[in-house]
Amino acid sequence: MSMISDRRVARLLTPGADPRPPVGLASRIKDEIPADVRLDPDAVARIGAYRPGAHRRFVGEFVLLAAMLLVVVGLGVWGLKVVRDHEDATRHARAVDALLEPTDDWGRGRASLTVTVHDERGIGLPGARVVLHRLEPPSLASRRAETVRDGRVRFLDLPPGGYRVSAELPGFAPATLGTIRVTEERGSEVPLELRLLAGLPPQGTETR
Amino acid sequence: MTMPAKVEERELLLALARGDRGAAEALVDRTYPRTFALLCRLCGADRDLAADLTQETYRRTWAALPGFDGRSLFSTWLYRIAYNTFLNHVRRPHRLVPLEDEVAVAARDGDPAADDRLVAGEADARVQRAVLALPEELRATVVARFWAEVPVAEIAAADGISAVAVHARLRKALARLATALEEGS
């Protein structure tokens, strides 16, 4: 590495006072100017217009701007997606909540429904699991109960509306009743028949 | 016709575009001292040679005037012609005046400050030799910036490169000159 600094070299290069031109030099030069000396007017118009690297700066700025625009658009799209996903999730959650949660009046009504589960011979079946689904208004919530000795089960405090009743008991084919209209005027009562599965003896029959 | 001294170069060029010979004379008045000074430095203070080359520079300028495209200032364009005129001259070795003779002449003139001038002259000659020994690209940039005092932006415009590239060339040239001057000291 050199011991002479670039600054010192620059100082050495920097000239002192300009040497005075010899007398008569200007006249000799002017005497040789052609009579028809002329400059292209377009060249004068172009002076100062050209700047090297300007196009590269423009391209660079354009690329930077495009990249920034892409980032902004990307962030916007992503943000919109997040918001919409969140809205969808919220809406979905509300819908699920609405289905899972009983309606405000679920369990507060005054109607009742008695379900009698019996076999093909009309004998009440105790221990049958009865599930009550509310259909109108729709809800995923349900109430469950088991039939007592005479095959009956009673659901109380039901709001009026449509219900679906299903019952199952080991050894019997599950059965479902479609929409059952429950009103406040009087207690509703529906029978539900369970059929014995083929190959199984009727309940209460001893097998050896 | 005498043009005011402070008339902008652009105004003079507009007048020249109209065929005003007085504008050409005004351009000469405005530019020839610096052109001569540049050539003086390039020629190692040989004033007669520098004057001849200055005259030759303007002859070439008038001849090349239709080719001036306005990509740079007229003064920058003129400097390039002066520089090329000098290069054409030094490429004919039989006409080159040895720098050592110039220093010797300075030492023989009986001036009381001759020793100081001799030292200064030797230093200038060393710098000049180091500059002329640079590769063409670096030499032209150094001469333009330091001896012709052309702004960096103008050098960039004339060479079709960016100002950053000009600065890079200058840095490289200064480093080489530093090494050359140190080796020669």
Side-chain angles (χ1 to χ4, degrees):
Chain A
M1 186 173 173
S2 174
M3 299 293 286
I4 302 177
S5 69
D6 289 356
R7 187 168 294 184
R8 186 174 168 209
V9 175
R11 271 204 305 275
L12 288 171
L13 285 169
T14 304
D18 285 351
R20 188 181 293 275
V23 175
L25 178 59
S27 300
R28 293 206 303 272
I29 294 170
K30 289 176 185 175
D31 287 346
E32 291 178 341
I33 296 175
D36 58 347
V37 65
R38 187 180 291 270
L39 182 63
D40 179 8
D42 291 342
V44 184
R46 280 195 295 268
I47 291 176
Y50 175 77
R51 279 292 169 263
H55 67 289
R56 284 194 292 274
R57 279 196 296 278
F58 173 75
V59 169
E61 286 170 3
F62 177 78
V63 168
L64 184 64
L65 196 64
M68 287 172 66
L69 195 63
L70 276 176
V71 168
V72 169
V73 169
L75 281 174
V77 169
W78 177 77
L80 271 178
K81 187 176 182 307
V82 166
V83 169
R84 293 176 75 173
D85 285 352
H86 178 71
E87 286 176 350
D88 286 348
T90 305
R91 198 161 39 242
H92 179 69
R94 283 179 183 156
V96 171
D97 287 348
L99 290 171
L100 287 174
E101 288 294 323
T103 53
D104 290 342
D105 56 353
W106 178 268
R108 295 181 190 170
R110 290 181 299 174
S112 67
L113 175 65
T114 301
V115 180
T116 303
V117 180
H118 59 84
D119 63 7
E120 291 161 302
R121 294 171 295 175
I123 299 171
L125 296 173
R129 192 175 182 197
V130 180
V131 182
L132 188 66
H133 291 280
R134 193 174 183 190
L135 302 177
E136 296 171 3
S139 170
L140 289 178
S142 62
R143 295 176 71 175
R144 298 160 193 273
E146 280 192 5
T147 55
V148 293
R149 183 180 297 273
D150 58 357
R152 299 176 69 184
V153 64
R154 194 177 184 197
F155 295 95
L156 300 173
D157 305 327
L158 297 176
Y163 291 86
R164 185 180 66 213
V165 179
S166 57
E168 58 184 20
L169 182 67
F172 292 85
T176 299
L177 289 176
T179 305
I180 296 166
R181 191 68 55 189
V182 174
T183 59
E184 283 189 355
E185 283 74 25
R186 56 183 175 80
S188 302
E189 185 167 355
V190 291
L192 180 57
E193 182 182 302
L194 295 184
R195 292 176 182 271
L196 190 65
L197 288 172
L200 288 176
Q203 195 175 42
T205 305
E206 287 189 10
T207 55
R208 290 183 186 275
Chain B
M1 177 181 166
T2 303
M3 301 289 287
K6 300 233 173 191
V7 172
E8 291 294 326
E9 180 182 294
R10 190 184 183 85
E11 296 300 317
L12 289 174
L13 294 177
L14 282 171
L16 194 55
R18 294 191 295 269
D20 184 348
R21 195 173 186 278
E25 292 182 356
L27 276 172
V28 171
D29 286 332
R30 188 183 172 95
T31 56
Y32 92 98
R34 183 155 288 181
T35 305
F36 172 77
L38 166 68
L39 288 166
C40 238
R41 287 168 190 129
L42 285 167
C43 295
D46 184 340
R47 292 172 54 83
D48 292 339
L49 177 60
D52 287 347
L53 292 180
T54 302
Q55 211 168 338
E56 175 65 18
T57 295
Y58 282 92
R59 274 187 217 116
R60 289 174 182 229
T61 299
W62 308 133
L65 201 57
F68 175 64
D69 61 3
R71 205 171 72 160
S72 62
L73 291 177
F74 178 81
S75 52
T76 307
W77 184 66
L78 179 66
Y79 140 74
R80 292 307 297 254
I81 293 176
Y83 179 66
N84 288 333
T85 302
F86 167 76
L87 289 182
N88 285 340
H89 169 75
V90 296
R91 281 165 189 158
R92 287 172 283 180
H94 59 280
R95 290 185 60 188
L96 189 64
V97 177
L99 293 168
E100 288 75 11
D101 290 355
E102 289 298 302
V103 174
V105 167
R108 283 196 303 265
D109 68 357
D111 191 322
D115 287 346
D116 291 344
R117 298 224 319 259
L118 178 60
V119 171
E122 282 176 345
D124 288 347
R126 275 175 47 217
V127 171
Q128 187 229 18
R129 277 197 298 267
V131 169
L132 295 184
L134 285 172
E136 169 56 28
E137 192 178 74
L138 302 183
R139 179 176 59 212
T141 308
V142 164
V143 170
R145 183 70 194 103
F146 289 98
W147 290 352
E149 299 176 64
V150 179
V152 168
E154 271 302 306
I155 299 173
D159 288 357
I161 59 176
S162 68
V164 174
V166 174
H167 281 296
R169 282 186 186 176
L170 288 173
R171 276 197 301 275
K172 195 171 176 182
L174 291 181
R176 287 199 182 202
L177 286 173
T179 304
L181 291 172
E182 190 174 82
E183 287 172 356
S185 61

